[in-house]
Amino acid sequence: MARSKRALRGIYAAATALAIFVVAVGSCIALILLVISMEEGGASLSDQSLSVTQAVVLLSQGNGFSAGALKLTIIPLGLTLVLVSLLVTCVRRFGMSWEGFASGGLLWLIVSFLFQQIQGFILVDTTFIIACRSALVYCLAYAIAGVRSGKFSKWLASSPYGSLPSGLRLAITQGVHVAVWLIAIFVLMGALTVVVWIALYHDAVGKLFVLSEMGTSSRILTSLAAIVWLPNLIIWALSWLTGGGFYIGELASFTLWTGQGEALPPIPIFGLFPEAVTSSVQRIILLVLPTIVTGIVALLTLLTKRGFDMLASLRKQGLRQIDTRLVTTFLYSCISLVITGLIVLLALGLAFFCSNGDLGEHRLKGVGVHVTESAAVFARDISVGLLAPWLMLLLVSALVLLWNSTIDSLHRSVTLVSAVPASLNSYESSDKSQTRISGTDTSSQPSHTVQTVNKTSHSDAPGQSSGQ
């Protein structure tokens, strides 16, 4: 009975999340199609609302589609984040269990299969691939809900992780926390870059709206609909900021050095893409900005009390000699920074991969970031930013240790040198006393002999006189 209740709660969680998401997306799509039909004055597009909703729901889980010359596989990461957040909230609200996970996942796959029965669109992937991607989204949301629950902390404490040394656990925890902070800062940097693009190139977007002959309501709704791809644009902006850039198929490439494209389709969002940065000083500042930010975060982690508080540890240790405490302090901090770098690179590489896709079959195939190039650029920036403060602190500590060792050696030498005259004086005084004692013994021996002889002569004298 208890298992059936837990299974029903899993079904309720999945059904609630899907219902809220599908209704919200369907309502927005119906409104957009209705406004476009009214302004264009053509045939009503509201009849396509259901099919478009099915396609968008599948697209938000990574499953692309094609319609005529259009092939869309760029995942609207904004919708994906909304779907995952809804499912996490519902799972935490109805409770977590293995029975609920299985029953909710089964319902999720069934709904995904039903949404594949779509009219007017051709799905790019097979049924099995679509099911795998939908299941991956569901498992991701359930895993996030599990991490945010109190059971995860108890399970972690009872796992082999809880038996690790406290310093190593602190290193792992600090590494994860710093990685989350760095990812948040990088996302903020990308968002600010997009805001700057909007401020600089909003006129180009307006011209594209005019060329497309779109009405005011259609412009507003189209701009609002483009928000679902805002996370993709932030990721591309972050790649552009570090020198990696991004590409619109074979038609255009946008980096800090180039910003031109040929025959781009009149899609309003394309008007936001930047031109090349002409100033070499500005280019250098933008290129070193991620390294500087990473270095500041790493330095604060090493020195502040919320991190490793290495200044207090080094003062307590005294830096007089190399001992186990000093070695473990630097070792655990290095392990923490390495963990931070690996998590950040993995997260950014996954983000670059998920933000890419296609807008067509030929020249618009391959829109987004070159994952290997951008990941290599970020690997360089993050590794330098994380290890430079650690190496600098290690060098300073080594210099202080060398200085203290030199001062201690000098003190010992001065003490030894000052102790030599005192030892010589004590040796001379002892030698004189020994000489004095030996002289006294020598002078006393003859007198003793004379007295002995006298006594002998006196004792022999009466005998002689009596014999006479």
Side-chain angles (χ1 to χ4, degrees), residues 375-403:
V377 171
F378 258 102
R380 178 197 63 199
D381 295 342
I382 292 173
S383 59
V384 172
L386 289 176
L387 294 181
W390 185 84
L391 291 174
M392 181 181 64
L393 194 59
L394 180 63
L395 178 61
V396 171
S397 301
L399 293 176
V400 173
L401 183 63
L402 179 62
W403 173 263

Side-chain angles (χ1 to χ4, degrees), residues 7-71:
L8 286 175
R9 287 180 180 178
I11 294 174
Y12 295 155
T16 304
L18 282 172
I20 296 174
F21 183 75
V22 171
V23 169
V25 171
S27 300
C28 293
I29 290 174
L31 178 61
I32 292 173
L33 294 178
L34 178 62
V35 171
I36 292 176
S37 299
M38 292 173 61
E39 287 194 345
E40 296 298 328
S44 176
L45 298 176
S46 300
D47 297 338
Q48 302 294 325
S49 298
L50 181 60
S51 299
V52 176
T53 300
Q54 292 176 250
V56 171
V57 170
L58 292 176
L59 182 63
S60 64
Q61 300 180 65
N63 304 303
F65 61 86
S66 61
L70 174 66
K71 179 184 178 182

